[in-house]
Amino acid sequence: MSMSVSMAADQSTVKPHRGVNNSSAALSSGIDYPVLRTRRFQFRPFVLADIAHLATLANEHRVADSAVGVPHPCTVEFARMCVSSNPNAWASPRALHWAAVEIGEQRIRGYAGLDKIDIERSQVELRFWVGCGVARNGYAAEWCAAILEFAMTHLGMNRIYALQLERHPLAGRVLAALGMQQEAHLRKRIYREGMLEDVTCWALVRDVH
């Protein structure tokens, strides 16, 4: 594991978040939803009050144009469906989706998540995007380091991978800085807005003896 990822263990903490049914708290799922903290950020469950802002952020050009797994346009209805399904996705567990907020604030700065959790194969997909008005490189690296550490330490994952659109190298630089390595160039892997796009698959594998 790279030094950047290892440092996240000292900078981040994990605590449970138990949802309740109202517009200002996490949706109830009957289980604890993890909340992560780094020096500057908290990763919390999305709440009903986030829906409109989430849709607005996801429709920003730099998010809609570069993020894997974000439809365009991202409607309020789609955002509501995603937020409502998050507790069940974690209960399965299939996925964890967090709103990235600065500590002391509630306004969403971006998204970080673990998708396609595969307990049997001990692997999971890392996803993230950063909204406007945020230092993309530094913040994204801090977010991803904390998520990688959580995936390995708390979920016991041995392999974490991420897909980067070939025409958007910034995400690749973030992943490389965290010690992830290129595994494959996948041609015409993703269909977006009427065209098939190439992606690069990055991965971090934990040494298991």
Side-chain angles (χ1 to χ4, degrees), residues 119-186:
I119 300 298
E120 181 179 359
R121 297 174 179 83
S122 191
Q123 64 179 347
V124 67
E125 179 183 353
L126 168 70
R127 291 188 176 185
F128 67 95
W129 51 260
V130 181
C132 289
V134 176
R136 300 179 79 180
N137 269 357
Y139 285 10
E142 181 176 333
W143 298 1
C144 290
I147 305 305
L148 287 171
E149 181 69 21
F150 176 85
M152 290 188 172
T153 302
H154 295 274
L155 296 184
M157 297 290 103
N158 292 325
R159 179 175 180 269
I160 298 98
Y161 64 96
L163 299 179
Q164 168 225 328
L165 288 179
E166 188 70 18
R167 60 186 172 84
H168 282 280
L170 178 60
R173 291 197 291 271
V174 171
L175 298 172
L178 293 169
M180 300 186 81
Q181 298 182 0
Q182 291 188 28
E183 285 193 334
H185 175 76
L186 308 175

